Amino acid sequence: MKIIDFESKSWFFLNHENDYYIDVSCNFSFVGFNMLIQLNKSELHEYQNNGKDYLIFLVKDIQQYALSTYKDRNIKGDIERIANDSIINFLEKSNN
């Protein structure tokens, strides 16, 4: 999995094979959590047309509606582990 773009302590935009994902730091009350969302066709189209501006919009939307609109899209399992490993490796390399 490759990290394409990121905002420190906020989100990571990733690519794996032909799929694109965004890992977003969210907060609900006093609880912090991350959500990993696979971009659907319309979101990918918006990204291709509007670039990082669209990602920033999407991140804010996910953060605001994480537990309603996006809760069923939160990815768990193997892809989540691959994304987490990629992010950890990226952060370790960035700190050296």
Side-chain angles (χ1 to χ4, degrees):
M1 189 166 289
K2 178 183 175 190
I3 295 176
I4 299 170
D5 202 351
F6 74 102
E7 273 301 318
S8 182
K9 300 179 184 177
S10 182
W11 55 268
F12 290 88
F13 185 54
L14 308 106
N15 168 250
H16 181 65
E17 297 172 355
N18 292 321
D19 297 319
Y20 292 83
Y21 302 88
I22 193 152
D23 185 271
V24 180
S25 294
C26 301
N27 292 299
F28 181 72
S29 186
F30 58 88
V31 178
F33 57 96
N34 277 36
M35 292 194 75
L36 179 65
I37 305 292
Q38 181 177 352
L39 271 66
N40 60 33
K41 287 181 183 179
S42 64
E43 292 163 341
L44 185 56
H45 180 73
E46 286 293 326
Y47 167 69
Q48 290 167 338
N49 288 331
N50 300 302
K52 190 170 185 170
D53 288 340
Y54 177 70
L55 293 180
I56 292 168
F57 164 81
L58 182 59
V59 165
K60 289 178 183 177
D61 200 57
I62 292 169
Q63 289 171 330
Q64 183 169 355
Y65 300 106
L67 299 178
S68 58
T69 305
Y70 293 94
K71 71 176 182 171
D72 293 335
R73 293 181 61 193
N74 190 26
I75 296 173
K76 298 291 183 193
D78 291 340
I79 292 296
E80 179 189 30
R81 283 188 288 281
I82 293 168
N84 288 341
D85 289 345
S86 296
I87 291 168
I88 289 167
N89 288 337
F90 175 81
L91 292 172
E92 287 174 348
K93 288 178 184 175
S94 297
N95 289 331
N96 290 332

